[in-house]
Amino acid sequence: MITADTSVREQIVSTADRLFYKQGYNLTGINQIIEEAGVAKASLYYHFPSKEDLCVAYLKRRYERWLAMLTKFLEGITDPKERIIKCFECRSEYLLDNDFSGCSYIRIIAEMPQRSAKINKQAILNKEKQRQFFIDEVKKLRRIPGNSVNDFANAIFLLFDGATVQCQVYRELSPIDNALKALKILF
Amino acid sequence: MITADTSVREQIVSTADRLFYKQGYNLTGINQIIEEAGVAKASLYYHFPSKEDLCVAYLKRRYERWLAMLTKFLEGITDPKERIIKCFECRSEYLLDNDFSGCSYIRIIAEMPQRSAKINKQAILNKEKQRQFFIDEVKKLRRIPGNSVNDFANAIFLLFDGATVQCQVYRELSPIDNALKALKILF
DNA sequence: AAATAATCAGACAAACTTGTCTGACTATTT
DNA sequence: AAATAGTCAGACAAGTTTGTCTGATTATTT
């Protein structure tokens, strides 16, 4: 009996996840993945018809990891404004834990101008889930700056992505601080 | 007598510029560059010791192009608030003209987690010049939201980068509109 | 017990990667 | 006129890439 998290499939995805995110998709070869995962090449291609499909699994996994981390961060916090701020603080920790590798969805699109339909779809789906989080929180606010839920949520989402990519570029967390200061001006 | 813009060196850089930005750095081979530039491989390596050095030239060129475009956009406009807004509109046109390829500095760092020192330095230099533009404009404002020049300029810069990457992801200009709406709330 | 699903190791294909080198030729400068 | 700088075409090295295929072995399910 083999448990889910030691299965060959899981080994492959978790190794691909680590390597794609750390080294980039294009610079990570199938051979490296199977070697570090300790599985046969045929096993990888048994589970994933192509590298592209493995990439989709990687993106799904990244979102799940982010959601789990955020959920834990927000535990017990009900105030929407505080929850939004905590989301940025969660980003700080995420980037620190992950060597300032930025947002995997943005990165995968930056790396693939050919625009694989499957990968594109998953990346955008993940981004939309992030946007929805902010919309949901903004809806709970008593007073909404600008008087439009979507406009204000989108403003926060822009700060969030802006801070994420700038942290990646500068390899430091100051852009998150800048974003928090921007939030203070906005609220 | 050979003019500067038809020289072999210029041919190489302009071709590399086009291909790096469109296809991505890692997916563009030296062989494709020399073929499309119509030059010999030895000529490329005569001017640029390595692909890395060519990349630095590419980043410099991208900044110059952006600056030229922005300067033209701002011609005759003196009001700092208006100049900031125009900068976002310039970004719209830039992205539309360039197939939504995003910011070349951010992208190159997203593509190269190995962090080539030369490339990293140039990318950050370019980003700092962009930040300085916003700082200079904010300084001219009569009333500064939040009462700190740097904080407000950084907020705008975050919106700028956030909008740029989101436009790249979604392949549409709505994030720029969102950023302009965010600016309205901020001001 | 038989059939199927999952896994293994690794060879192979066909293409691509950056960079070096040869050797010749032309243009420019001293 | 001689020396240097620039350019050419292309072979070559040593490595990489994704994906296919062989053939065998083990696990699971029917």
Side-chain angles (χ1 to χ4, degrees):
Chain A
M1 163 91 177
I2 291 170
T3 58
D5 44 350
T6 57
S7 74
V8 169
R9 195 198 147 97
E10 172 61 22
Q11 252 314 149
I12 294 166
V13 183
S14 71
T15 306
D17 177 29
R18 179 172 54 83
L19 294 175
F20 284 165
Y21 193 48
K22 190 180 174 190
Q23 307 181 344
Y25 178 75
N26 288 320
L27 296 176
T28 302
I30 292 290
N31 291 326
Q32 191 188 2
I33 295 170
I34 59 166
E35 197 188 325
E36 298 201 16
V39 303
K41 186 175 272 196
S43 301
L44 188 150
Y45 280 99
Y46 177 82
H47 290 286
F48 303 97
S50 69
K51 194 184 176 187
E52 196 186 347
D53 294 277
L54 182 54
C55 183
V56 173
Y58 152 68
L59 291 176
K60 281 182 185 164
R61 192 190 166 86
R62 269 285 140 193
Y63 175 73
E64 279 155 26
R65 166 167 311 196
W66 164 249
L67 185 63
M69 188 173 175
L70 182 61
T71 303
K72 211 172 173 184
F73 242 81
L74 298 180
E75 228 165 51
I77 300 171
T78 52
D79 180 55
K81 189 175 160 185
E82 209 182 326
R83 284 169 65 87
I84 289 167
I85 289 168
K86 265 270 177 280
C87 183
F88 281 77
E89 285 166 7
C90 183
R91 198 48 145 185
S92 264
E93 196 161 303
Y94 181 85
L95 292 170
L96 215 54
D97 286 351
N98 287 281
D99 205 28
F100 291 92
S101 296
C103 169
S104 55
Y105 330 142
I106 291 174
R107 244 179 107 199
I108 209 73
I109 280 184
E111 272 197 281
M112 307 200 65
Q114 333 94 25
R115 300 279 174 166
S116 142
K118 287 181 201 173
I119 293 175
N120 215 36
K121 200 176 154 189
Q122 188 63 48
I124 289 179
L125 182 68
N126 289 1
K127 272 263 152 269
E128 281 307 295
K129 284 179 183 167
Q130 286 185 324
R131 186 201 305 275
Q132 195 58 50
F133 168 82
F134 292 119
I135 292 175
D136 290 342
E137 296 304 325
V138 167
K139 272 183 185 159
K140 297 186 219 159
L141 288 170
R142 313 248 316 288
R143 190 191 56 83
I144 294 155
N147 292 320
S148 156
V149 169
N150 279 351
D151 288 356
F152 188 59
N154 284 333
I156 298 171
F157 191 33
L158 284 171
L159 290 174
F160 184 76
D161 275 344
T164 300
V165 294
Q166 285 190 6
C167 284
Q168 185 186 356
V169 168
Y170 291 101
R171 287 182 80 83
E172 58 178 53
L173 294 175
S174 60
I176 297 276
D177 291 334
N178 294 338
L180 288 173
K181 283 174 187 163
L183 278 184
K184 276 211 184 85
I185 303 177
L186 275 177
F187 270 113
Chain B
M1 162 93 179
I2 290 170
T3 57
D5 44 350
T6 58
S7 75
V8 168
R9 194 197 148 97
E10 172 60 20
Q11 258 295 234
I12 293 166
V13 183
S14 71
T15 306
D17 178 29
R18 178 172 54 82
L19 294 174
F20 284 165
Y21 193 49
K22 191 179 174 190
Q23 307 181 344
Y25 178 75
N26 288 319
L27 295 176
T28 301
I30 292 290
N31 291 325
Q32 191 188 3
I33 295 170
I34 60 167
E35 196 189 326
E36 296 201 17
V39 302
K41 185 175 275 196
S43 302
L44 189 150
Y45 280 99
Y46 177 82
H47 290 285
F48 303 97
S50 68
K51 194 185 175 185
E52 195 187 347
D53 295 277
L54 182 55
C55 183
V56 173
Y58 152 67
L59 290 176
K60 281 183 185 164
R61 192 191 167 86
R62 268 286 141 191
Y63 175 73
E64 280 155 26
R65 166 167 311 194
W66 165 249
L67 184 64
M69 189 172 173
L70 182 61
T71 304
K72 211 173 174 185
F73 241 81
L74 298 180
E75 228 165 51
I77 299 171
T78 52
D79 179 54
K81 188 174 159 185
E82 209 181 326
R83 285 169 65 87
I84 289 167
I85 289 167
K86 265 269 178 278
C87 184
F88 281 76
E89 285 167 6
C90 183
R91 197 50 145 184
S92 263
E93 196 160 303
Y94 181 85
L95 292 170
L96 215 54
D97 286 351
N98 288 280
D99 205 28
F100 293 92
S101 296
C103 168
S104 55
Y105 330 142
I106 292 174
R107 245 180 105 199
I108 210 74
I109 281 184
E111 272 198 281
M112 309 201 64
Q114 334 93 24
R115 299 277 174 168
S116 142
K118 287 182 200 171
I119 293 175
N120 214 36
K121 199 176 153 187
Q122 187 64 48
I124 288 179
L125 182 69
N126 288 3
K127 272 264 154 268
E128 281 307 294
K129 284 180 183 165
Q130 286 185 324
R131 185 200 306 276
Q132 195 58 50
F133 168 81
F134 291 119
I135 291 174
D136 291 341
E137 297 303 326
V138 167
K139 272 183 184 157
K140 296 187 219 157
L141 288 171
R142 313 252 311 290
R143 190 191 57 85
I144 294 156
N147 291 321
S148 157
V149 169
N150 279 352
D151 289 355
F152 188 58
N154 283 334
I156 298 171
F157 191 32
L158 284 171
L159 291 174
F160 184 75
D161 275 343
T164 300
V165 294
Q166 285 191 7
C167 283
Q168 185 186 356
V169 168
Y170 290 101
R171 289 183 79 83
E172 57 178 53
L173 294 174
S174 59
I176 296 277
D177 291 334
N178 294 339
L180 289 172
K181 283 173 187 164
L183 278 184
K184 277 212 183 86
I185 304 177
L186 275 177
F187 270 112

PDB file of all heavy atoms in Angstrom, chain B residues 8 38-43 46-47, chain D residues 5-13:
ATOM      1  N   VAL B   8      26.807  46.487 -38.716  1.00  0.00           N
ATOM      2  CA  VAL B   8      26.620  45.094 -38.316  1.00  0.00           C
ATOM      3  C   VAL B   8      26.228  45.003 -36.843  1.00  0.00           C
ATOM      4  O   VAL B   8      25.312  44.283 -36.474  1.00  0.00           O
ATOM      5  CB  VAL B   8      27.901  44.288 -38.602  1.00  0.00           C
ATOM      6  CG1 VAL B   8      27.839  42.924 -37.936  1.00  0.00           C
ATOM      7  CG2 VAL B   8      28.095  44.123 -40.095  1.00  0.00           C
ATOM      8  N   GLY B  38      21.332  38.484 -40.533  1.00  0.00           N
ATOM      9  CA  GLY B  38      22.114  38.388 -41.761  1.00  0.00           C
ATOM     10  C   GLY B  38      23.585  38.678 -41.551  1.00  0.00           C
ATOM     11  O   GLY B  38      24.236  39.309 -42.391  1.00  0.00           O
ATOM     12  N   VAL B  39      24.117  38.209 -40.428  1.00  0.00           N
ATOM     13  CA  VAL B  39      25.545  38.411 -40.153  1.00  0.00           C
ATOM     14  C   VAL B  39      26.203  37.072 -39.810  1.00  0.00           C
ATOM     15  O   VAL B  39      25.524  36.086 -39.537  1.00  0.00           O
ATOM     16  CB  VAL B  39      25.759  39.390 -38.971  1.00  0.00           C
ATOM     17  CG1 VAL B  39      25.094  40.735 -39.246  1.00  0.00           C
ATOM     18  CG2 VAL B  39      25.254  38.791 -37.671  1.00  0.00           C
ATOM     19  N   ALA B  40      27.521  37.079 -39.846  1.00  0.00           N
ATOM     20  CA  ALA B  40      28.256  35.850 -39.532  1.00  0.00           C
ATOM     21  C   ALA B  40      28.366  35.674 -38.022  1.00  0.00           C
ATOM     22  O   ALA B  40      28.342  36.653 -37.270  1.00  0.00           O
ATOM     23  CB  ALA B  40      29.641  35.893 -40.147  1.00  0.00           C
ATOM     24  N   LYS B  41      28.474  34.429 -37.615  1.00  0.00           N
ATOM     25  CA  LYS B  41      28.579  34.149 -36.186  1.00  0.00           C
ATOM     26  C   LYS B  41      29.814  34.815 -35.581  1.00  0.00           C
ATOM     27  O   LYS B  41      29.763  35.378 -34.480  1.00  0.00           O
ATOM     28  CB  LYS B  41      28.623  32.638 -35.947  1.00  0.00           C
ATOM     29  CG  LYS B  41      28.606  32.276 -34.483  1.00  0.00           C
ATOM     30  CD  LYS B  41      28.533  30.787 -34.248  1.00  0.00           C
ATOM     31  CE  LYS B  41      27.111  30.306 -34.297  1.00  0.00           C
ATOM     32  NZ  LYS B  41      26.969  28.941 -33.688  1.00  0.00           N
ATOM     33  N   ALA B  42      30.906  34.800 -36.340  1.00  0.00           N
ATOM     34  CA  ALA B  42      32.142  35.418 -35.847  1.00  0.00           C
ATOM     35  C   ALA B  42      31.957  36.916 -35.619  1.00  0.00           C
ATOM     36  O   ALA B  42      32.597  37.497 -34.738  1.00  0.00           O
ATOM     37  CB  ALA B  42      33.286  35.162 -36.818  1.00  0.00           C
ATOM     38  N   SER B  43      31.076  37.524 -36.402  1.00  0.00           N
ATOM     39  CA  SER B  43      30.827  38.961 -36.230  1.00  0.00           C
ATOM     40  C   SER B  43      30.111  39.225 -34.914  1.00  0.00           C
ATOM     41  O   SER B  43      30.409  40.190 -34.213  1.00  0.00           O
ATOM     42  CB  SER B  43      29.997  39.501 -37.385  1.00  0.00           C
ATOM     43  OG  SER B  43      30.656  39.275 -38.607  1.00  0.00           O
ATOM     44  N   TYR B  46      32.496  38.823 -32.239  1.00  0.00           N
ATOM     45  CA  TYR B  46      33.494  39.888 -32.276  1.00  0.00           C
ATOM     46  C   TYR B  46      33.003  41.063 -31.431  1.00  0.00           C
ATOM     47  O   TYR B  46      33.759  41.648 -30.653  1.00  0.00           O
ATOM     48  CB  TYR B  46      33.738  40.336 -33.720  1.00  0.00           C
ATOM     49  CG  TYR B  46      34.705  41.486 -33.831  1.00  0.00           C
ATOM     50  CD1 TYR B  46      36.081  41.274 -33.802  1.00  0.00           C
ATOM     51  CD2 TYR B  46      34.236  42.790 -33.927  1.00  0.00           C
ATOM     52  CE1 TYR B  46      36.967  42.330 -33.879  1.00  0.00           C
ATOM     53  CE2 TYR B  46      35.123  43.865 -34.004  1.00  0.00           C
ATOM     54  CZ  TYR B  46      36.481  43.624 -33.984  1.00  0.00           C
ATOM     55  OH  TYR B  46      37.365  44.676 -34.052  1.00  0.00           O
ATOM     56  N   HIS B  47      31.713  41.374 -31.549  1.00  0.00           N
ATOM     57  CA  HIS B  47      31.157  42.514 -30.829  1.00  0.00           C
ATOM     58  C   HIS B  47      30.731  42.173 -29.403  1.00  0.00           C
ATOM     59  O   HIS B  47      30.810  43.012 -28.524  1.00  0.00           O
ATOM     60  CB  HIS B  47      29.955  43.086 -31.591  1.00  0.00           C
ATOM     61  CG  HIS B  47      30.340  43.780 -32.854  1.00  0.00           C
ATOM     62  ND1 HIS B  47      30.920  45.022 -32.867  1.00  0.00           N
ATOM     63  CD2 HIS B  47      30.261  43.390 -34.151  1.00  0.00           C
ATOM     64  CE1 HIS B  47      31.171  45.375 -34.115  1.00  0.00           C
ATOM     65  NE2 HIS B  47      30.769  44.403 -34.916  1.00  0.00           N
TER      66      HIS B  47
ATOM     67  P    DA D   5      43.422  46.751 -33.682  1.00  0.00           P
ATOM     68  OP1  DA D   5      43.447  47.653 -32.514  1.00  0.00           O
ATOM     69  OP2  DA D   5      43.729  45.324 -33.532  1.00  0.00           O
ATOM     70  O5'  DA D   5      41.995  46.901 -34.375  1.00  0.00           O
ATOM     71  C5'  DA D   5      41.729  48.076 -35.149  1.00  0.00           C
ATOM     72  C4'  DA D   5      40.469  47.870 -35.978  1.00  0.00           C
ATOM     73  O4'  DA D   5      40.780  47.168 -37.211  1.00  0.00           O
ATOM     74  C3'  DA D   5      39.392  47.048 -35.279  1.00  0.00           C
ATOM     75  O3'  DA D   5      38.154  47.699 -35.528  1.00  0.00           O
ATOM     76  C2'  DA D   5      39.462  45.674 -35.961  1.00  0.00           C
ATOM     77  C1'  DA D   5      39.908  46.070 -37.367  1.00  0.00           C
ATOM     78  N9   DA D   5      40.664  45.056 -38.109  1.00  0.00           N
ATOM     79  C8   DA D   5      41.715  44.318 -37.662  1.00  0.00           C
ATOM     80  N7   DA D   5      42.231  43.509 -38.575  1.00  0.00           N
ATOM     81  C5   DA D   5      41.439  43.743 -39.694  1.00  0.00           C
ATOM     82  C6   DA D   5      41.454  43.197 -41.001  1.00  0.00           C
ATOM     83  N6   DA D   5      42.332  42.276 -41.399  1.00  0.00           N
ATOM     84  N1   DA D   5      40.527  43.656 -41.871  1.00  0.00           N
ATOM     85  C2   DA D   5      39.653  44.588 -41.453  1.00  0.00           C
ATOM     86  N3   DA D   5      39.547  45.168 -40.258  1.00  0.00           N
ATOM     87  C4   DA D   5      40.478  44.697 -39.411  1.00  0.00           C
ATOM     88  P    DG D   6      36.833  47.269 -34.870  1.00  0.00           P
ATOM     89  OP1  DG D   6      36.013  48.471 -34.609  1.00  0.00           O
ATOM     90  OP2  DG D   6      37.147  46.336 -33.790  1.00  0.00           O
ATOM     91  O5'  DG D   6      36.141  46.463 -36.060  1.00  0.00           O
ATOM     92  C5'  DG D   6      35.828  47.171 -37.247  1.00  0.00           C
ATOM     93  C4'  DG D   6      35.361  46.197 -38.317  1.00  0.00           C
ATOM     94  O4'  DG D   6      36.441  45.339 -38.711  1.00  0.00           O
ATOM     95  C3'  DG D   6      34.220  45.260 -37.875  1.00  0.00           C
ATOM     96  O3'  DG D   6      33.107  45.550 -38.709  1.00  0.00           O
ATOM     97  C2'  DG D   6      34.764  43.849 -38.110  1.00  0.00           C
ATOM     98  C1'  DG D   6      35.882  44.109 -39.108  1.00  0.00           C
ATOM     99  N9   DG D   6      36.977  43.144 -39.125  1.00  0.00           N
ATOM    100  C8   DG D   6      37.783  42.773 -38.083  1.00  0.00           C
ATOM    101  N7   DG D   6      38.703  41.892 -38.425  1.00  0.00           N
ATOM    102  C5   DG D   6      38.466  41.668 -39.775  1.00  0.00           C
ATOM    103  C6   DG D   6      39.136  40.812 -40.689  1.00  0.00           C
ATOM    104  O6   DG D   6      40.096  40.055 -40.485  1.00  0.00           O
ATOM    105  N1   DG D   6      38.583  40.901 -41.970  1.00  0.00           N
ATOM    106  C2   DG D   6      37.526  41.710 -42.304  1.00  0.00           C
ATOM    107  N2   DG D   6      37.128  41.663 -43.578  1.00  0.00           N
ATOM    108  N3   DG D   6      36.892  42.509 -41.466  1.00  0.00           N
ATOM    109  C4   DG D   6      37.416  42.437 -40.221  1.00  0.00           C
ATOM    110  P    DT D   7      31.711  44.913 -38.433  1.00  0.00           P
ATOM    111  OP1  DT D   7      30.678  45.873 -38.926  1.00  0.00           O
ATOM    112  OP2  DT D   7      31.684  44.427 -37.038  1.00  0.00           O
ATOM    113  O5'  DT D   7      31.697  43.650 -39.406  1.00  0.00           O
ATOM    114  C5'  DT D   7      31.733  43.859 -40.813  1.00  0.00           C
ATOM    115  C4'  DT D   7      31.995  42.554 -41.531  1.00  0.00           C
ATOM    116  O4'  DT D   7      33.309  42.057 -41.191  1.00  0.00           O
ATOM    117  C3'  DT D   7      31.058  41.399 -41.162  1.00  0.00           C
ATOM    118  O3'  DT D   7      30.015  41.317 -42.127  1.00  0.00           O
ATOM    119  C2'  DT D   7      31.972  40.159 -41.175  1.00  0.00           C
ATOM    120  C1'  DT D   7      33.323  40.703 -41.591  1.00  0.00           C
ATOM    121  N1   DT D   7      34.469  40.029 -40.924  1.00  0.00           N
ATOM    122  C2   DT D   7      35.262  39.185 -41.660  1.00  0.00           C
ATOM    123  O2   DT D   7      35.081  38.941 -42.834  1.00  0.00           O
ATOM    124  N3   DT D   7      36.293  38.600 -40.964  1.00  0.00           N
ATOM    125  C4   DT D   7      36.597  38.781 -39.625  1.00  0.00           C
ATOM    126  O4   DT D   7      37.553  38.203 -39.109  1.00  0.00           O
ATOM    127  C5   DT D   7      35.723  39.685 -38.907  1.00  0.00           C
ATOM    128  C7   DT D   7      35.952  39.954 -37.455  1.00  0.00           C
ATOM    129  C6   DT D   7      34.701  40.264 -39.586  1.00  0.00           C
ATOM    130  P    DC D   8      28.914  40.200 -42.011  1.00  0.00           P
ATOM    131  OP1  DC D   8      27.763  40.701 -42.777  1.00  0.00           O
ATOM    132  OP2  DC D   8      28.767  39.836 -40.586  1.00  0.00           O
ATOM    133  O5'  DC D   8      29.555  38.961 -42.789  1.00  0.00           O
ATOM    134  C5'  DC D   8      29.882  39.085 -44.173  1.00  0.00           C
ATOM    135  C4'  DC D   8      30.628  37.855 -44.655  1.00  0.00           C
ATOM    136  O4'  DC D   8      31.925  37.799 -44.013  1.00  0.00           O
ATOM    137  C3'  DC D   8      29.972  36.536 -44.275  1.00  0.00           C
ATOM    138  O3'  DC D   8      29.071  36.155 -45.306  1.00  0.00           O
ATOM    139  C2'  DC D   8      31.147  35.563 -44.195  1.00  0.00           C
ATOM    140  C1'  DC D   8      32.360  36.455 -43.998  1.00  0.00           C
ATOM    141  N1   DC D   8      33.094  36.242 -42.708  1.00  0.00           N
ATOM    142  C2   DC D   8      34.193  35.383 -42.675  1.00  0.00           C
ATOM    143  O2   DC D   8      34.515  34.774 -43.697  1.00  0.00           O
ATOM    144  N3   DC D   8      34.859  35.220 -41.514  1.00  0.00           N
ATOM    145  C4   DC D   8      34.476  35.887 -40.431  1.00  0.00           C
ATOM    146  N4   DC D   8      35.182  35.706 -39.309  1.00  0.00           N
ATOM    147  C5   DC D   8      33.352  36.770 -40.440  1.00  0.00           C
ATOM    148  C6   DC D   8      32.693  36.912 -41.594  1.00  0.00           C
ATOM    149  P    DA D   9      27.831  35.272 -44.975  1.00  0.00           P
ATOM    150  OP1  DA D   9      26.802  35.627 -45.957  1.00  0.00           O
ATOM    151  OP2  DA D   9      27.544  35.383 -43.527  1.00  0.00           O
ATOM    152  O5'  DA D   9      28.348  33.784 -45.252  1.00  0.00           O
ATOM    153  C5'  DA D   9      29.229  33.507 -46.331  1.00  0.00           C
ATOM    154  C4'  DA D   9      29.777  32.100 -46.184  1.00  0.00           C
ATOM    155  O4'  DA D   9      30.908  32.139 -45.273  1.00  0.00           O
ATOM    156  C3'  DA D   9      28.780  31.100 -45.598  1.00  0.00           C
ATOM    157  O3'  DA D   9      28.798  29.920 -46.390  1.00  0.00           O
ATOM    158  C2'  DA D   9      29.264  30.869 -44.176  1.00  0.00           C
ATOM    159  C1'  DA D   9      30.762  31.139 -44.281  1.00  0.00           C
ATOM    160  N9   DA D   9      31.361  31.677 -43.053  1.00  0.00           N
ATOM    161  C8   DA D   9      30.874  32.696 -42.279  1.00  0.00           C
ATOM    162  N7   DA D   9      31.631  32.972 -41.237  1.00  0.00           N
ATOM    163  C5   DA D   9      32.682  32.080 -41.334  1.00  0.00           C
ATOM    164  C6   DA D   9      33.819  31.860 -40.530  1.00  0.00           C
ATOM    165  N6   DA D   9      34.082  32.567 -39.426  1.00  0.00           N
ATOM    166  N1   DA D   9      34.674  30.879 -40.895  1.00  0.00           N
ATOM    167  C2   DA D   9      34.407  30.172 -42.001  1.00  0.00           C
ATOM    168  N3   DA D   9      33.370  30.286 -42.839  1.00  0.00           N
ATOM    169  C4   DA D   9      32.534  31.272 -42.450  1.00  0.00           C
ATOM    170  P    DG D  10      27.737  28.803 -46.194  1.00  0.00           P
ATOM    171  OP1  DG D  10      27.611  28.079 -47.474  1.00  0.00           O
ATOM    172  OP2  DG D  10      26.538  29.382 -45.555  1.00  0.00           O
ATOM    173  O5'  DG D  10      28.467  27.844 -45.154  1.00  0.00           O
ATOM    174  C5'  DG D  10      29.777  27.395 -45.446  1.00  0.00           C
ATOM    175  C4'  DG D  10      30.416  26.840 -44.215  1.00  0.00           C
ATOM    176  O4'  DG D  10      30.769  27.887 -43.278  1.00  0.00           O
ATOM    177  C3'  DG D  10      29.535  25.862 -43.407  1.00  0.00           C
ATOM    178  O3'  DG D  10      30.256  24.676 -43.224  1.00  0.00           O
ATOM    179  C2'  DG D  10      29.343  26.579 -42.080  1.00  0.00           C
ATOM    180  C1'  DG D  10      30.663  27.329 -41.992  1.00  0.00           C
ATOM    181  N9   DG D  10      30.706  28.364 -40.965  1.00  0.00           N
ATOM    182  C8   DG D  10      29.774  29.336 -40.699  1.00  0.00           C
ATOM    183  N7   DG D  10      30.100  30.098 -39.693  1.00  0.00           N
ATOM    184  C5   DG D  10      31.324  29.608 -39.260  1.00  0.00           C
ATOM    185  C6   DG D  10      32.169  30.021 -38.212  1.00  0.00           C
ATOM    186  O6   DG D  10      32.007  30.938 -37.413  1.00  0.00           O
ATOM    187  N1   DG D  10      33.325  29.229 -38.134  1.00  0.00           N
ATOM    188  C2   DG D  10      33.614  28.183 -38.962  1.00  0.00           C
ATOM    189  N2   DG D  10      34.756  27.539 -38.740  1.00  0.00           N
ATOM    190  N3   DG D  10      32.838  27.783 -39.955  1.00  0.00           N
ATOM    191  C4   DG D  10      31.707  28.534 -40.047  1.00  0.00           C
ATOM    192  P    DA D  11      29.477  23.297 -43.153  1.00  0.00           P
ATOM    193  OP1  DA D  11      29.183  22.883 -44.550  1.00  0.00           O
ATOM    194  OP2  DA D  11      28.387  23.395 -42.175  1.00  0.00           O
ATOM    195  O5'  DA D  11      30.617  22.340 -42.565  1.00  0.00           O
ATOM    196  C5'  DA D  11      31.961  22.521 -42.996  1.00  0.00           C
ATOM    197  C4'  DA D  11      32.913  22.401 -41.812  1.00  0.00           C
ATOM    198  O4'  DA D  11      32.838  23.602 -40.993  1.00  0.00           O
ATOM    199  C3'  DA D  11      32.605  21.225 -40.879  1.00  0.00           C
ATOM    200  O3'  DA D  11      33.817  20.539 -40.595  1.00  0.00           O
ATOM    201  C2'  DA D  11      32.018  21.883 -39.625  1.00  0.00           C
ATOM    202  C1'  DA D  11      32.719  23.233 -39.628  1.00  0.00           C
ATOM    203  N9   DA D  11      31.956  24.288 -38.950  1.00  0.00           N
ATOM    204  C8   DA D  11      30.734  24.795 -39.317  1.00  0.00           C
ATOM    205  N7   DA D  11      30.307  25.763 -38.524  1.00  0.00           N
ATOM    206  C5   DA D  11      31.309  25.891 -37.586  1.00  0.00           C
ATOM    207  C6   DA D  11      31.460  26.758 -36.483  1.00  0.00           C
ATOM    208  N6   DA D  11      30.562  27.669 -36.127  1.00  0.00           N
ATOM    209  N1   DA D  11      32.586  26.624 -35.738  1.00  0.00           N
ATOM    210  C2   DA D  11      33.493  25.711 -36.089  1.00  0.00           C
ATOM    211  N3   DA D  11      33.465  24.850 -37.117  1.00  0.00           N
ATOM    212  C4   DA D  11      32.335  25.003 -37.829  1.00  0.00           C
ATOM    213  P    DC D  12      33.769  19.086 -39.974  1.00  0.00           P
ATOM    214  OP1  DC D  12      35.015  18.406 -40.372  1.00  0.00           O
ATOM    215  OP2  DC D  12      32.446  18.484 -40.266  1.00  0.00           O
ATOM    216  O5'  DC D  12      33.832  19.379 -38.406  1.00  0.00           O
ATOM    217  C5'  DC D  12      34.973  20.053 -37.881  1.00  0.00           C
ATOM    218  C4'  DC D  12      34.730  20.438 -36.443  1.00  0.00           C
ATOM    219  O4'  DC D  12      33.799  21.515 -36.387  1.00  0.00           O
ATOM    220  C3'  DC D  12      34.121  19.323 -35.583  1.00  0.00           C
ATOM    221  O3'  DC D  12      35.148  18.801 -34.754  1.00  0.00           O
ATOM    222  C2'  DC D  12      33.019  20.022 -34.778  1.00  0.00           C
ATOM    223  C1'  DC D  12      33.212  21.490 -35.100  1.00  0.00           C
ATOM    224  N1   DC D  12      31.979  22.329 -35.152  1.00  0.00           N
ATOM    225  C2   DC D  12      31.786  23.332 -34.200  1.00  0.00           C
ATOM    226  O2   DC D  12      32.635  23.491 -33.314  1.00  0.00           O
ATOM    227  N3   DC D  12      30.675  24.100 -34.260  1.00  0.00           N
ATOM    228  C4   DC D  12      29.784  23.898 -35.229  1.00  0.00           C
ATOM    229  N4   DC D  12      28.709  24.696 -35.252  1.00  0.00           N
ATOM    230  C5   DC D  12      29.960  22.890 -36.213  1.00  0.00           C
ATOM    231  C6   DC D  12      31.056  22.126 -36.141  1.00  0.00           C
ATOM    232  P    DA D  13      34.834  17.508 -33.855  1.00  0.00           P
ATOM    233  OP1  DA D  13      36.087  16.724 -33.780  1.00  0.00           O
ATOM    234  OP2  DA D  13      33.580  16.866 -34.306  1.00  0.00           O
ATOM    235  O5'  DA D  13      34.592  18.148 -32.422  1.00  0.00           O
ATOM    236  C5'  DA D  13      35.484  19.159 -31.953  1.00  0.00           C
ATOM    237  C4'  DA D  13      34.979  19.675 -30.630  1.00  0.00           C
ATOM    238  O4'  DA D  13      33.915  20.634 -30.866  1.00  0.00           O
ATOM    239  C3'  DA D  13      34.412  18.599 -29.721  1.00  0.00           C
ATOM    240  O3'  DA D  13      34.992  18.743 -28.436  1.00  0.00           O
ATOM    241  C2'  DA D  13      32.909  18.870 -29.701  1.00  0.00           C
ATOM    242  C1'  DA D  13      32.826  20.352 -30.027  1.00  0.00           C
ATOM    243  N9   DA D  13      31.631  20.775 -30.754  1.00  0.00           N
ATOM    244  C8   DA D  13      31.119  20.236 -31.909  1.00  0.00           C
ATOM    245  N7   DA D  13      30.054  20.859 -32.345  1.00  0.00           N
ATOM    246  C5   DA D  13      29.845  21.867 -31.426  1.00  0.00           C
ATOM    247  C6   DA D  13      28.869  22.878 -31.330  1.00  0.00           C
ATOM    248  N6   DA D  13      27.880  23.039 -32.208  1.00  0.00           N
ATOM    249  N1   DA D  13      28.950  23.726 -30.277  1.00  0.00           N
ATOM    250  C2   DA D  13      29.939  23.565 -29.402  1.00  0.00           C
ATOM    251  N3   DA D  13      30.905  22.664 -29.389  1.00  0.00           N
ATOM    252  C4   DA D  13      30.807  21.838 -30.439  1.00  0.00           C
TER     253       DA D  13
END
